[in-house]
């Protein structure tokens, strides 16, 4: 895994994007481990405003509110966040139709994240692209290593273990049997303008991003990829940018809990020779 | 207070632009008909949608039968009966009012686009062409401005400032003098163009942090002259 990855279709002229993520449940920012054990991390509007001022290149807002009827309050929240920031803003969570996407965009988001809704109905991606343009369509993929041998899947081997990457939906609660890297490729072909790729194995652990998952996905698609899941320290972000060709890295807890600004992380990246906006 | 109209052709998010202009102290109205654009200090053509439906809206016939199915259901603003009268000429309504086109809005300044079949406004000679498929498309992210000539909307903005792009097409002007700034994406992408009262950016100033805010403020000053 130390081999340098081949750089393909990648301009070194664009900066690498650092993206704080707000997981929002019932109007509060929360943080989980392996998609569970939620703890409160603050007010979304306050945090969004702080990140926007502190050098975030973009903001992702994921509504993890379980009940459908409480989603209405989220729209107001999206609109309040949009008023205080001047950077691109992606909103996801529970998007299953064109109307859901339109509601989010009309509340002030720039892009819509689609996850379970796209797995259940892949044609939705093409519909969204036709109406809003593919730059508005972000496909969020939650992937987990599956160690069962399956000749129909793309198998990998690391540290003597064989596995493939499986797509999970409904907030990581339900397996799908889908190969994540193939799904990324299909989603991009159908209309996704960007892939937000989360490693369930690493999410919330602070053990670093899943480099293999990330690079294999970047290799498979020609749209930008955002790595997510596992960032515990600025060094993890350095690692994913140095060992893969990923376009952007998303993180939550290092920004929520540490008394460190986004720009502090970006300065560390710059000192390692990674191009960032500062 | 500077009175600004944003022309809404019916697709996507124009609220970040409205928010950004209001933060700069402008009074902002969203208009969906060309004839309602009269009497403003400045007009914005925002950056979302597809070329043909947007041009049809600006020619006063958006959403009518000719619209493509993919966008017609969202392009409902011009469907009402007032369109049965002859279309109002956008350029005549605008006159010498400063116009700021963002991304697709800027692309409409040109004569035609590979994204569609309709004619653009033609205030700047040249075409809109698709980015080479050897590059990652869309060109999405923060890229640096390479300033080619001084311009009023660049006041206080340094060469090399970062701005946020998200686009799949680029301008190819017949006359290089209209290019105020470029960005390098393996090929040169015209980032800011200007001719007379028409200012255009390929990037999104409303999403470009402090640099974008400065640029919008400069344009608003231009409008209040």
């Amino acid at each position: 895994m130390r081999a340098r990855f081949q750089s393909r279709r990648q301009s070194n002229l664009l900066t690498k994007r650092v993206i704080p993520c707000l997981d929002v449940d019932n109007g509060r920012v929360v943080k989980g481990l392996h998609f569970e054990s939620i703890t409160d991390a603050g007010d979304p509007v306050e945090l969004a405003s702080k990140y926007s001022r502190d050098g975030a290149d973009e903001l992702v807002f994921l509504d993890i509110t379980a009940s459908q009827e409480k989603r209405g309050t989220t729209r107001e929240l999206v609109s309040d966040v949009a008023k205080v920031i001047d950077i691109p803003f992606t909103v996801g969570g529970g998007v299953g139709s064109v109307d859901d996407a339109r509601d989010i965009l009309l509340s002030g988001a720039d892009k819509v994240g689609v996850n379970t809704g796209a797995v259940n109905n892949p044609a939705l991606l093409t519909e969204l692209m036709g109406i809003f343009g593919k730059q508005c369509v972000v496909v969020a993929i939650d992937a987990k290593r599956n160690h069962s041998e399956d000749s129909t899947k793309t198998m990998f081997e690391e540290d003597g273990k064989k596995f493939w990457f499986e797509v999970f939906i409904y907030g990581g609660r339900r397996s799908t049997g889908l190969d994540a890297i193939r799904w990324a490729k299909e989603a991009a072909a159908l209309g996704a303008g960007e892939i937000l790729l989360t490693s369930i194995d690493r999410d919330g652990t602070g053990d670093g991003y899943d480099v293999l998952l990330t690079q294999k996905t970047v290799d498979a698609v020609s749209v930008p990829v955002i790595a997510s899941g596992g960032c515990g320290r600025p060094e993890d972000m350095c690692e994913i940018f140095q060992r893969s060709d990923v376009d952007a890295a998303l993180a939550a807890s290092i920004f929520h809990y540490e008394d460190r600004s986004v720009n502090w992380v970006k300065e560390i990246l710059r000192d390692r020779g990674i191009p960032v906006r500062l | 207070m500077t009175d600004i109209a944003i022309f809404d052709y019916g697709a996507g998010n124009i609220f970040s632009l409205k928010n950004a202009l209001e933060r700069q102290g402008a009074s902002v109205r969203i208009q969906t008909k060309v004839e309602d654009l009269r009497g403003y200090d400045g007009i914005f053509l925002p950056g979302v949608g597809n070329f043909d439906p947007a041009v049809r809206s600006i020619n006063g016939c958006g959403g009518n039968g000719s619209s493509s199915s993919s966008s017609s259901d969202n392009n409902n603003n011009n469907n009402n009966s007032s369109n049965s009268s002859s279309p109002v000429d956008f350029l005549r309504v605008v006159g010498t009012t400063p116009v700021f086109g963002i991304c697709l809005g800027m692309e409409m300044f040109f004569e035609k686009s590979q994204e569609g079949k309709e004619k653009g406004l033609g205030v700047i000679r040249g075409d809109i062409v698709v980015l080479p498929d050897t590059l990652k498309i869309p060109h999405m992210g923060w890229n640096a401005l390479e300033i080619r000539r001084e311009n009023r909307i660049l006041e206080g903005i340094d060469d090399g400032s970062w701005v946020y792009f998200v686009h799949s097409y680029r301008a190819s002007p017949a006359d290089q003098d209209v290019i105020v700034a470029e960005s390098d994406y393996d090929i040169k992408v015209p980032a800011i163009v200007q001719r007379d009262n028409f200012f255009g950016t390929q990037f999104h100033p409303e999403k470009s942090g402090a640099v974008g805010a400065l640029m919008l403020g400069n344009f608003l000053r231009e409008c209040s002259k």
Side-chain angles (χ1 to χ4, degrees):
Chain A
M1 286 300 298
R2 288 208 57 85
R4 276 192 61 78
F5 290 103
Q6 180 197 2
S7 185
R8 191 187 62 152
R9 282 182 296 202
Q10 175 101 1
S11 168
N12 54 8
L13 304 157
L14 276 182
T15 59
K16 299 291 184 181
R17 286 175 282 151
V18 175
I19 306 178
C21 177
L22 307 176
D23 290 311
V24 178
D25 185 17
N26 287 323
R28 295 290 290 177
V29 176
V30 294
K31 184 59 194 163
L33 172 68
H34 295 298
F35 285 43
E36 280 169 34
S37 64
I38 303 281
T39 53
D40 191 280
D43 174 60
V45 180
E46 231 167 79
L47 279 173
S49 167
K50 175 171 168 274
Y51 295 149
S52 178
R53 286 194 312 271
D54 287 352
D57 294 311
E58 216 166 312
L59 203 66
V60 168
F61 181 120
L62 292 178
D63 179 15
I64 58 169
T65 307
S67 75
Q68 205 62 34
E69 61 268 27
K70 286 178 181 161
R71 284 254 153 78
T73 56
T74 307
R75 265 172 238 141
E76 286 168 39
L77 208 50
V78 169
S79 154
D80 290 343
V81 168
K83 281 186 190 121
V84 298
I85 63 172
D86 52 12
I87 52 173
F89 179 31
T90 300
V91 177
V95 177
S97 68
V98 169
D99 285 342
D100 292 341
R102 184 178 287 126
D103 273 352
I104 285 173
L105 293 171
L106 290 180
S107 302
D110 301 301
K111 311 180 199 179
V112 178
V114 199
N115 189 332
T116 306
V119 171
N120 289 340
N121 174 22
L124 176 64
L125 297 176
T126 311
E127 241 183 301
L128 292 174
M129 173 182 70
I131 295 169
F132 306 112
K134 72 190 283 188
Q135 80 288 342
C136 278
V137 186
V138 180
V139 167
I141 299 175
D142 297 330
K144 193 173 191 294
R145 295 181 179 208
N146 182 325
H147 293 276
S148 64
E149 288 264 3
D150 186 337
S151 60
T152 67
K153 302 295 189 292
T154 316
M155 298 297 295
F156 297 100
E157 196 174 335
E158 203 170 60
D159 305 326
K161 288 183 195 155
K162 286 187 180 159
F163 55 88
W164 54 283
F165 292 105
E166 183 174 14
V167 176
F168 277 66
I169 54 175
Y170 295 106
R173 288 189 296 275
R174 191 180 301 175
S175 63
T176 63
L178 284 173
D179 186 307
I181 289 155
R182 272 185 227 166
W183 167 232
K185 198 171 177 162
E186 191 190 337
L190 287 169
E194 195 167 25
I195 308 280
L196 167 55
L197 180 69
T198 302
S199 162
I200 296 178
D201 303 299
R202 300 298 180 90
D203 188 69
T205 64
D207 292 340
Y209 295 92
D210 190 326
V211 175
L212 182 70
L213 169 67
T214 305
Q215 182 59 33
K216 292 298 175 189
T217 305
V218 170
D219 281 339
V221 299
S222 62
V223 296
V225 176
I226 304 167
S228 158
C231 184
R233 307 163 307 151
E235 288 72 21
D236 296 328
M237 225 172 244
C238 293
E239 187 197 32
I240 195 66
F241 285 132
Q242 285 171 332
R243 294 183 59 205
S244 83
D245 293 318
V246 80
D247 301 272
L250 179 142
S253 50
I254 63 162
F255 302 126
H256 298 340
Y257 294 120
E258 302 296 315
D259 192 21
R260 299 292 193 184
S261 74
V262 181
N263 272 335
W264 173 76
V265 173
K266 289 169 81 175
E267 278 164 19
I268 293 171
L269 295 175
R270 181 191 56 192
D271 292 346
R272 306 282 179 89
I274 296 158
V276 288
R277 174 182 72 113
L278 270 170
Chain B
M1 193 181 266
T2 314
D3 285 318
I4 295 295
I6 299 175
F7 186 65
D8 178 11
Y9 12 87
N13 171 22
I14 51 177
F15 293 93
S16 51
L17 177 59
K18 183 170 186 280
N19 288 331
L21 291 168
E22 285 172 348
R23 280 196 293 268
Q24 294 294 312
S27 157
V28 184
R29 296 292 294 273
I30 291 168
Q31 297 294 1
T32 57
K33 290 186 206 135
V34 173
E35 58 264 38
D36 294 337
L37 295 174
R38 290 192 179 98
Y40 287 95
D41 300 319
I43 296 165
F44 274 81
L45 300 182
V48 284
N50 291 309
F51 192 83
D52 278 355
V55 166
R56 281 196 286 265
S57 295
I58 222 164
N59 288 332
C61 45
N64 286 342
S66 57
S67 245
S68 70
S69 61
S70 62
S71 47
S72 59
D73 75 54
N74 195 41
N75 197 353
N76 52 10
N77 298 309
N78 297 291
N79 262 337
N80 46 39
S81 55
S82 69
N83 276 327
S84 54
S85 58
S86 63
V88 182
D89 185 58
F90 175 79
L91 293 180
R92 186 167 297 173
V93 168
V94 161
T96 57
T97 308
V99 178
F100 198 124
I102 297 171
C103 200
L104 172 64
M106 177 213 74
E107 292 170 13
M108 289 200 291
F109 291 172
F110 289 82
E111 292 169 293
K112 58 184 200 302
S113 169
Q114 287 179 351
E115 194 184 16
K117 295 187 175 76
E118 301 279 346
K119 277 187 186 157
L121 293 168
V123 295
I124 298 180
R125 285 198 303 125
D127 302 340
I128 301 301
V129 297
V130 70
L131 290 169
D133 63 5
T134 51
L135 301 170
K136 271 196 193 194
I137 296 177
H139 171 212
M140 185 189 282
W142 296 81
N143 206 333
L145 285 180
E146 298 174 2
I147 296 175
R148 294 283 168 255
R149 61 195 81 242
E150 279 184 29
N151 193 277
R152 298 184 291 278
I153 67 163
L154 282 174
E155 212 162 289
I157 294 167
D158 295 329
D159 192 43
S161 292
W162 301 105
V163 290
Y164 185 80
F165 288 86
V166 49
H167 64 114
S168 304
Y169 295 82
R170 70 178 171 93
S172 174
D175 174 6
Q176 298 298 299
D177 285 349
V178 300
I179 300 174
V180 173
E182 293 178 303
S183 279
D184 197 337
Y185 189 51
D186 284 354
I187 56 157
K188 296 289 182 190
V189 173
I192 305 177
V193 296
Q194 187 238 323
R195 190 179 158 239
D196 302 331
N197 52 324
F198 290 84
F199 298 79
T201 61
Q202 184 71 73
F203 57 89
H204 289 264
E206 78 280 18
K207 289 162 209 164
S208 293
V211 170
L214 259 175
M215 209 170 288
L216 293 175
N218 289 341
F219 177 77
L220 291 178
R221 267 206 310 285
E222 193 65 25
C223 295
S224 53
K225 274 181 187 167

Coordinates of all heavy atoms in Angstrom, one line a residue, chain B residues 23 25 51 56 60 85 91 133 146 156 159 173 175 180 182 197 199 223:
Chain B
R23 N -26.2 40.6 2.7 CA -25.2 40.9 3.6 C -24.3 42.1 3.2 O -23.7 42.7 4.1 CB -24.3 39.6 3.7 CG -24.8 38.5 4.6 CD -23.8 37.5 5.0 NE -23.3 36.8 3.9 CZ -23.8 35.6 3.5 NH1 -24.8 35.0 4.1 NH2 -23.4 35.0 2.4
G25 N -25.6 44.7 2.0 CA -26.5 45.9 2.2 C -27.4 46.2 1.1 O -28.1 47.3 1.1
F51 N -28.7 25.7 -20.3 CA -28.7 26.8 -21.2 C -30.0 27.1 -21.9 O -30.5 28.3 -21.9 CB -27.5 26.6 -22.2 CG -27.2 27.8 -23.0 CD1 -26.3 28.8 -22.5 CD2 -27.7 28.0 -24.3 CE1 -26.0 29.9 -23.2 CE2 -27.4 29.2 -25.0 CZ -26.5 30.1 -24.5
R56 N -34.5 30.6 -23.0 CA -35.9 30.8 -23.4 C -36.7 31.6 -22.4 O -37.5 32.4 -22.7 CB -36.6 29.4 -23.5 CG -36.3 28.7 -24.8 CD -37.2 27.6 -25.1 NE -36.9 26.4 -24.3 CZ -36.2 25.4 -24.7 NH1 -35.6 25.4 -25.9 NH2 -35.9 24.4 -23.9
G60 N -38.5 35.4 -22.9 CA -39.9 35.6 -22.6 C -40.8 34.4 -23.0 O -42.0 34.5 -23.1
S85 N -48.5 37.7 -25.2 CA -48.1 38.9 -25.9 C -46.7 38.7 -26.4 O -46.0 37.8 -26.0 CB -48.1 40.1 -25.0 OG -47.3 39.9 -23.9
L91 N -32.5 42.8 -23.6 CA -31.4 43.8 -23.7 C -32.0 45.2 -23.8 O -31.4 46.2 -23.2 CB -30.6 43.6 -25.0 CG -29.8 42.3 -25.0 CD1 -29.0 42.1 -26.3 CD2 -28.8 42.2 -23.8
D133 N -12.8 16.2 -22.1 CA -13.2 15.1 -21.2 C -11.9 14.4 -20.6 O -12.1 13.4 -19.9 CB -14.1 14.1 -22.0 CG -13.4 13.5 -23.2 OD1 -12.2 13.8 -23.4 OD2 -14.1 12.8 -23.9
E146 N -6.1 34.3 -12.0 CA -5.0 34.9 -12.6 C -5.5 36.2 -13.3 O -6.2 36.1 -14.3 CB -4.3 34.0 -13.6 CG -3.8 32.7 -13.0 CD -3.4 31.7 -14.0 OE1 -3.4 32.0 -15.2 OE2 -3.0 30.6 -13.6
G156 N -9.4 45.7 -4.5 CA -9.1 45.1 -3.3 C -8.8 43.6 -3.3 O -8.6 43.0 -2.3
D159 N -4.2 39.2 -7.0 CA -3.9 38.1 -8.0 C -3.7 36.8 -7.1 O -3.1 36.9 -6.1 CB -2.6 38.4 -8.7 CG -2.4 37.5 -9.9 OD1 -3.4 37.2 -10.6 OD2 -1.3 37.1 -10.1
P173 N -14.2 33.3 -25.8 CA -14.5 34.6 -26.4 C -13.7 34.8 -27.7 O -12.6 34.4 -27.8 CB -14.0 35.6 -25.4 CG -13.6 34.9 -24.2 CD -13.4 33.5 -24.6
D175 N -12.9 37.7 -28.8 CA -12.0 38.8 -28.5 C -11.4 38.6 -27.1 O -12.1 38.7 -26.1 CB -12.8 40.1 -28.6 CG -12.0 41.3 -28.2 OD1 -10.7 41.2 -27.9 OD2 -12.6 42.4 -28.1
V180 N -11.0 39.3 -18.1 CA -10.4 40.1 -17.0 C -9.5 39.2 -16.2 O -8.5 39.7 -15.7 CB -11.6 40.7 -16.2 CG1 -11.0 41.4 -14.9 CG2 -12.4 41.7 -17.0
E182 N -8.4 34.8 -15.5 CA -8.5 33.4 -15.9 C -8.2 32.5 -14.7 O -7.7 33.0 -13.7 CB -7.5 33.0 -17.0 CG -7.8 33.7 -18.3 CD -6.7 33.4 -19.3 OE1 -5.5 33.6 -19.1 OE2 -7.1 32.9 -20.4
N197 N -21.6 47.2 -19.8 CA -22.3 47.1 -18.5 C -22.5 45.6 -18.1 O -23.2 45.3 -17.2 CB -23.6 47.9 -18.4 CG -24.5 47.5 -19.6 OD1 -24.0 47.3 -20.7 ND2 -25.8 47.5 -19.4
F199 N -21.0 42.2 -16.7 CA -19.9 41.6 -15.9 C -20.3 40.1 -15.7 O -21.4 39.8 -15.3 CB -19.8 42.3 -14.5 CG -19.4 43.7 -14.6 CD1 -20.4 44.7 -14.8 CD2 -18.1 44.2 -14.4 CE1 -20.0 46.1 -14.9 CE2 -17.7 45.5 -14.4 CZ -18.7 46.5 -14.7
C223 N -23.3 49.7 -9.4 CA -24.7 49.9 -9.6 C -25.2 51.2 -9.1 O -26.2 51.8 -9.6 CB -25.5 48.8 -9.0 SG -25.2 47.2 -9.7

